[in-house]
Amino acid sequence: MINLKGDERLDYLLAEDLRIIQSPSVFSFSLDAVLLAKFAYVPIQKGNIIDLCSGNGVIPLFLSTRTKGKIIGVEIQERLYDMAVRSIQYNGLENRIQMVHGDIKEMPKQLGYGRFEVVTCNPPYFKTPPEGEINPNEHLAIARHEILCTLEDVIKVSSDLVKQGGKVALVHRPGRLMDIVTLMRQYRLEPKRIQFIYPKQGKEANTLLIEAIKDGSPDLKILPPLVVYHDNNEYTKEIRAILYGES
């Protein structure tokens, strides 16, 4: 049995044989999280992995299907942290995924510098707007805007947590690409792979995936573009394979 609170529901985690607690008024995962979980390198057999800004734990849950390593998720909002913990318990993954309730900026001191092979993060995308323009829903505002952590916070913390030669993977908006690359290099993270996501053929990219190596040598690869929808608004074959495991 699982204890659902308020408007929570128990959803299937798409192609994976897992379930996740979601709430339309608090948090539901997006395609961006799925794409990051598929894009990021993870060691298959063992290793320490940490996911920052974890929300309801979607990325740690997805990553658990690709690695036998230990995964830590970090979430500052207590309600989302609680949802993640209950989802992990429901799926019987307590021995492989641990959630930490706290501020990502405290994690290097709390969990250890240079401890992780992989860091992933689906951070808030947007700089904080004037007060009157912020979403009145606190949970959604914190998830979308840099209210509690900035892009620089995310990249600095990721660099502090990852081992030399370890990998950091982010999903973000193309408009922040130069900020991301500049900050990554400032904090000893060398971008190695980038993939742009396009809503439809012929449209501008609206999402990017980027992976960097701590103290890596310069050698950036631009991966083939990924298109989400056909003109009839159906998912492309590539996206269906990622979401539902269809070939």
Side-chain angles (χ1 to χ4, degrees):
M1 292 295 292
I2 189 165
N3 178 29
L4 295 177
K5 303 175 182 178
D7 62 356
E8 291 176 352
R9 63 179 188 263
L10 190 62
D11 289 345
Y12 282 100
L13 205 56
L14 305 174
E16 315 303 343
D17 188 24
L18 297 170
R19 304 289 290 274
I20 188 167
I21 298 169
Q22 307 227 82
S23 161
S25 64
V26 178
F27 190 91
S28 296
F29 73 84
S30 68
L31 178 62
D32 295 0
V34 184
L35 294 174
L36 177 61
K38 294 289 185 180
F39 171 82
Y41 160 84
V42 286
I44 296 172
Q45 293 300 328
K46 60 182 180 179
N48 292 314
I49 301 156
I50 188 166
D51 178 61
L52 306 176
C53 308
S54 286
N56 63 347
V58 59
I59 290 175
L61 286 169
F62 269 123
L63 292 179
S64 73
T65 68
R66 297 181 53 213
T67 179
K68 295 177 182 176
K70 297 289 187 180
I71 304 168
I72 292 177
V74 181
E75 175 52 47
I76 196 168
Q77 296 193 65
E78 186 172 6
R79 176 77 192 278
L80 300 186
Y81 161 81
D82 176 59
M83 290 166 67
V85 168
R86 285 181 286 129
S87 290
I88 291 163
Q89 291 170 345
Y90 180 84
N91 290 289
L93 291 168
E94 302 98 317
N95 63 331
R96 297 189 39 218
I97 305 175
Q98 172 194 351
M99 287 299 300
V100 175
H101 178 221
D103 190 328
I104 66 165
K105 296 186 287 296
E106 301 299 320
M107 291 306 110
K109 184 169 60 177
Q110 184 173 331
L111 300 176
Y113 288 83
R115 177 184 161 193
F116 296 89
E117 278 79 17
V118 179
V119 180
T120 59
C121 186
N122 179 4
Y125 290 149
F126 307 109
K127 294 183 178 180
T128 305
E131 189 169 339
E133 299 175 25
I134 296 176
N135 192 311
N137 183 318
E138 179 189 21
H139 300 291
L140 300 180
I142 289 171
R144 293 171 182 170
H145 296 286
E146 296 179 344
I147 295 169
L148 298 182
C149 70
T150 65
L151 179 60
E152 182 167 6
D153 292 332
V154 166
I155 292 173
K156 180 184 185 301
V157 168
S158 296
S159 179
D160 286 343
L161 289 167
V162 77
K163 293 180 177 180
Q164 187 171 13
K167 299 185 178 183
V168 174
L170 307 179
V171 60
H172 219 291
R173 291 289 179 256
R176 303 296 299 276
L177 174 59
M178 296 313 296
D179 293 338
I180 293 168
V181 170
T182 300
L183 287 166
M184 280 184 162
R185 284 188 152 176
Q186 180 181 331
Y187 290 104
R188 299 168 51 200
L189 297 173
E190 184 61 32
K192 302 289 279 187
R193 293 196 298 141
I194 292 179
Q195 187 171 36
F196 292 99
I197 315 301
Y198 298 80
K200 289 184 177 179
Q201 199 77 41
K203 299 291 187 181
E204 292 183 1
N206 62 357
T207 305
L208 74 84
L209 298 161
I210 183 167
E211 185 176 73
I213 292 180
K214 178 78 170 279
D215 294 326
S217 57
D219 180 24
L220 178 63
K221 290 180 171 59
I222 307 294
L223 302 184
L226 193 57
V227 179
V228 177
Y229 294 106
H230 292 297
D231 287 340
N232 63 2
N233 293 322
E234 292 185 358
Y235 285 129
T236 60
K237 179 178 66 177
E238 292 79 10
I239 295 296
R240 291 192 70 84
I242 290 171
L243 289 177
Y244 308 116
E246 298 178 6
S247 57

